[in-house]
Amino acid sequence: MLRLEKRPQPSRLWTYLTPVLAVVLTMLCGGLLFSFLGKDPVLAIRTIFWEPLFSEFAFYYRPQLLVKGAPLVLIAIGLSLGFKAGIWNIGAEGQYIIGALCGAGVALAFYPMEAAFIFPLMVLAGGLGGWAWAMIPAFLKVRFGTNEILVSLMLVYVAEQLLASMSLGLLKNPQGFGFPGSRNLQQYPSAHNAELIAGTGMHWGVVAALIAVIFAYVLLNRHMQGFYIRLTGDAPRAARFAGVSPTRLVLFCLGVSGALAGLAGLFEVAGPSGVVSIDFNAGYGFTAIIVAFLGRLHPVGILMAGGLMALTYVGGDIAQSKLGLPKAAIQLFQGMLLFFLLAVDLTTNYRIRLRRKEAS
Amino acid sequence: MSEILLQIEGLTKAYPGVVANADVSLTIRKGEVHALLGENGAGKSTLVKMIYGLVKPDSGQMVLRGAPYAPAQPRAARAAGVAMVFQHFSLFDALDVAENIALGMETPPPMRSLAQQIRQVSETYGLPLDPYRTVGELSAGERQRVEIIRCLLQSPQLLIMDEPTSVLTPQEVEILFETLRKLTAEGVAILYISHKLEEIRALCDAATILRQGRNVGTCVPAQTQARDMAEMMVGSTLHTPARGPRTMGDVLLALNNLSRPSASAFGTALKNITLSVQAGEVLGIGGVAGNGQDELLAVLSGELLTPADAVQFMGQPIGQATPQARRRLGLLCAPEERLGHAAAPDMSLVENALLTGVQRKGLASRGFLKWGAARRFAEDIIARFDVRTPGPDVAARALSGGNLQKFVIGREVMQAPKVLVVNQPTWGVDAAAAAAIRQALLDLAAGGAAVLVISQDLDELMEISDRFAALNEGRLSPAKPTTGLSVDEIGLMMGGAHGMEVAHV
């Protein structure tokens, strides 16, 4: 009979080992899945994990990793702060959309003026937009005790409707021959979030993601506010006793995660995407939840998890086009990663003991 | 001597890393009250769990009424006539007494006849209880009666009682003892677990003393000094806290007619509480658990806010001040619940030292933490309060209850508070550590601080406090000097016998 025994302390070793184990298990089960679909499992896994980094076309794929990874890391860092304190913002996708709309709105309002202040102003608007969208569930939670999980999630769908309305109406390109979608910000130099070094994929969003990682690391390990966040997650009553105000913590965590998600949206719309369109959002806000947990809610872990997730995105795209794997199979593959992580996570706090059944 | 009911020989039970019981033997005779004495962790619980079939012994044997006895589970123990009243009740608040009792039975009779049986048992043994009252409305003493009646309905031959008086007022204790004496007169044997020596001397016929899992002696309590029994339990000479002469100073903390409705459905509302503590004074607050102790601590710590004037610190209204602001002023608290309230279980001792120490010990500047200083603070607490731990980086939950308690009390005492409020400072702590904690509280008062001790241990309160008041259903009695206070007076301050109009014994 298998028996779980609580460890006196969380195991250090397993804390670091579980993400690796989860990746390995995902590869095994994913491979099985791909072979059921009639594909060569080894080739499929190799395509996803190897091709983007080391194949002959890697020079094209590698920048893609930064482009995909940056928004994931940026959003996941914000989410992880709340998750640590037991505040669940599931609506980063919506905050991402609103950030993009606000940033793009600022740019389009100034079009075609060229000025140095436009891009910083867009960044500010993007962050504020995401922050404001996250303040809705935050305010409702602290004022009326609503569940932030439901409210933030439902606001994603509201944001999607708003996005559709904007790309068909207010922000539509007047010179776009009636097609939906805004002007392309890539062709508006003052607003373009261009690559900082050509051909590397390095844009301001990547810089922002790295700053966010450092910011979160310092906050959690060196600052009282970060200590209070961790304390609230571990023992809410002890946090009240220490003097943490739950209200302020909810506003802070949802605010930061909303602002970072908004920034991610802004950097995306001003850079790699360029246009506000109906299908602008690609699910970064949801995938970032996986990234946050895969990275064990640790800033450096999230950085690495973001890279890994970007790899499965880019590699998944290659596998779709080269091997004809269905998109759903790739998504399932990414979902498996979170599933296995949560499953093997048990080993950090529990010891699994095999033991004979005792006379009951 | 009457005939032997239960004979235990060489019972041993080891858990990974600790031997809970080593070669324990004892004999219980029919109609006797047998005391099982020992400090926390001495192995009393493990022993009774083996008798009640909750734990299987590694070796050794038990003989019940001449036949080998090895209950595989509590059901088998109950069938053999062994019943147990646990220290923590397992009752459902929303159900009535009869329903609760029916839930614990294998084949409950129809409600009407069960209620009849409950009435009959409660009258026979002087345990007044209405079978149709909702358990949520009952006092702790009445809840205990539900548990006892539940056992008595099975007509047991051996009744095990785990610290039954810890939740009772002195008057309720008397009633319980009468009941137990009636039971023994009928030939029922009682295995009585406690560490309250005077009680054991009053009630028990024989005593077995356990220390570190071993049987270290037996005695006849009525003929043995309490001090001798205590020294057998502890295995060394006891050090009684010294209480020097003290000079009282100004009033440091005062509550003025403080009322606060309960925050939750199962909490207790505080009603018109007025008290004051002077510099150099120890004020003891007694009362049965659940009569507003947690709420009182929370309004003092700042977890619950009140009208500003209701709580005054050195004349300053602080009812609306945050916990941090109160700490800066010098009002410190140590709650009862160690894990999860006073300390965060998964955080290290360094982090837990930071939890309340950050303000007064200057462990942060402009919000940035000084880990080095926090570590030194944690190490100081560990050294001065003899906290047994491999080091300050160990998670709080890895410490034993007593060690964590020493850490929690030490953390507050070492911040040199002007007023210290502690709830159950020595609960679950061994005698030596308890003496050290009490001494630290007395030293603090001698140094000019005001100390407010909330406790359910009356002996402790009588030992260290200058004045005594009792909480009863959220109301606080006026404080009286402890010198010359009789047990009867204390009992009446605690509300007498809860929920008993007539104690018909």
Side-chain angles (χ1 to χ4, degrees), chain B residues 30-197:
Chain B
K30 270 195 173 172
E32 88 172 349
V33 184
H34 194 110
L36 192 54
L37 265 170
E39 292 198 82
N40 291 291
K44 295 171 299 191
S45 300
T46 308
L47 182 62
V48 295
K49 278 181 186 164
M50 288 192 284
I51 300 173
Y52 193 55
L54 281 165
V55 172
K56 207 171 170 281
D58 295 337
S59 66
Q61 54 189 358
M62 295 185 272
V63 177
L64 187 71
R65 271 168 287 143
Y69 170 69
Q73 49 188 313
R75 197 188 301 165
R78 285 196 295 266
V82 176
M84 181 160 173
V85 176
F86 289 90
Q87 192 178 3
H88 301 286
F89 309 139
S90 45
L91 298 172
F92 294 92
D93 281 347
L95 300 180
D96 70 27
V97 171
E99 285 167 333
N100 262 293
I101 288 177
L103 274 176
M105 301 176 100
E106 312 282 325
T107 47
M111 242 356 133
R112 188 185 295 260
S113 81
L114 181 63
Q116 189 56 41
Q117 286 181 34
I118 292 171
R119 282 219 179 81
Q120 200 186 333
V121 171
S122 82
E123 272 165 33
T124 315
Y125 296 103
L127 295 167
L129 196 63
D130 177 355
Y132 294 116
R133 274 186 69 195
T134 308
V135 165
E137 300 167 358
L138 302 181
S139 72
E142 289 172 304
R143 284 169 200 234
Q144 187 182 54
R145 274 175 232 155
V146 181
E147 293 276 10
I148 295 174
I149 289 175
R150 178 190 272 175
C151 289
L152 295 185
L153 284 173
Q154 304 158 18
S155 326
Q157 286 170 320
L158 174 63
L159 181 62
I160 304 171
M161 304 201 78
D162 191 357
E163 305 235 355
T165 58
S166 56
V167 295
L168 303 181
T169 64
Q171 278 81 355
E172 287 173 324
V173 170
E174 261 322 300
I175 295 168
L176 174 70
F177 282 9
E178 281 308 318
T179 305
L180 298 184
R181 287 189 188 113
K182 276 186 187 166
L183 282 169
T184 52
E186 291 175 8
V188 178
I190 291 163
L191 183 58
Y192 188 93
I193 304 174
S194 182
H195 55 249
K196 294 189 182 168
L197 301 167

Side-chain angles (χ1 to χ4, degrees), chain A residues 270-301:
Chain A
S273 159
V275 287
V276 173
S277 61
I278 296 174
D279 53 358
F280 162 73
N281 59 317
Y284 284 132
F286 290 119
T287 311
I289 298 171
I290 307 183
V291 171
F293 277 102
L294 198 60
R296 311 226 53 115
L297 305 182
H298 187 285
V300 178

Side-chain angles (χ1 to χ4, degrees), chain B residues 304-355:
Chain B
L304 292 179
L305 297 181
T306 59
D309 285 342
V311 185
Q312 297 201 340
F313 181 84
M314 299 170 88
Q316 207 178 333
I318 57 161
Q320 287 288 318
T322 61
Q324 288 102 326
R326 293 179 197 211
R327 284 194 191 104
R328 267 180 227 113
L329 287 171
L331 169 58
L332 303 186
C333 296
E336 173 185 3
E337 187 87 37
R338 293 178 282 250
L339 274 186
H341 193 185
D346 283 329
M347 286 188 154
S348 72
L349 294 182
V350 176
E351 288 169 307
N352 273 301
L354 196 66
L355 199 145

Side-chain angles (χ1 to χ4, degrees), chain A residues 13 45 88 95 134 138 158 172 194 209 231 237-238 254 262 267:
Chain A
L13 175 73
I45 298 291
W88 306 98
Q95 294 136 22
V158 176
K172 194 166 84 169
L231 183 60
R237 241 184 121 200
L254 281 172
F267 290 125

Side-chain angles (χ1 to χ4, degrees), chain A residues 186-217:
Chain A
Q186 290 172 349
Q187 286 149 18
Y188 177 19
S190 283
H192 185 203
N193 170 25
E195 283 182 323
L196 298 174
I197 306 161
T200 57
M202 182 84 175
H203 62 74
W204 280 111
V206 180
V207 178
L210 291 175
I211 293 173
V213 168
I214 295 166
F215 161 79
Y217 185 87

Side-chain angles (χ1 to χ4, degrees), chain A residues 5-10 218 220-225 227-228 230-232 234-245 248 348-349 353 358-360, chain B residues 56 72-73 301 303 323-324 327 333 335 337 340-347 351 354-356 358-359 364 366-369 371 393-395 397-398 411:
Chain A
E5 227 179 59
K6 196 161 170 89
R7 294 177 193 271
Q9 294 214 67
V218 172
L220 288 173
N221 291 291
R222 293 269 179 267
H223 199 273
M224 208 56 207
Q225 182 71 17
F227 176 72
Y228 281 159
R230 290 191 292 129
L231 183 60
T232 305
D234 185 24
R237 241 184 121 200
R240 291 280 297 127
F241 174 60
V244 182
S245 152
R248 273 205 231 160
T348 34
N349 276 310
R353 280 276 168 94
E358 225 179 53
S360 55
Chain B
K56 207 171 170 281
Q73 49 188 313
S301 72
E303 287 163 90
Q324 288 102 326
R327 284 194 191 104
C333 296
E337 187 87 37
H341 193 185
D346 283 329
M347 286 188 154
E351 288 169 307
L354 196 66
L355 199 145
T356 68
V358 62
Q359 286 91 15
R366 291 194 202 147
F368 283 91
L369 303 172
W371 282 118
D393 293 313
V394 169
R397 75 164 192 233
R411 179 179 71 188

Side-chain angles (χ1 to χ4, degrees), chain B residues 368-401:
Chain B
F368 283 91
L369 303 172
K370 298 181 188 163
W371 282 118
R375 167 176 295 271
R376 277 193 296 282
F377 180 43
E379 282 166 351
D380 287 350
I381 301 169
I382 292 169
R384 176 156 160 220
F385 279 80
D386 187 29
V387 180
R388 310 277 163 81
T389 167
D393 293 313
V394 169
R397 75 164 192 233
L399 263 64
S400 74

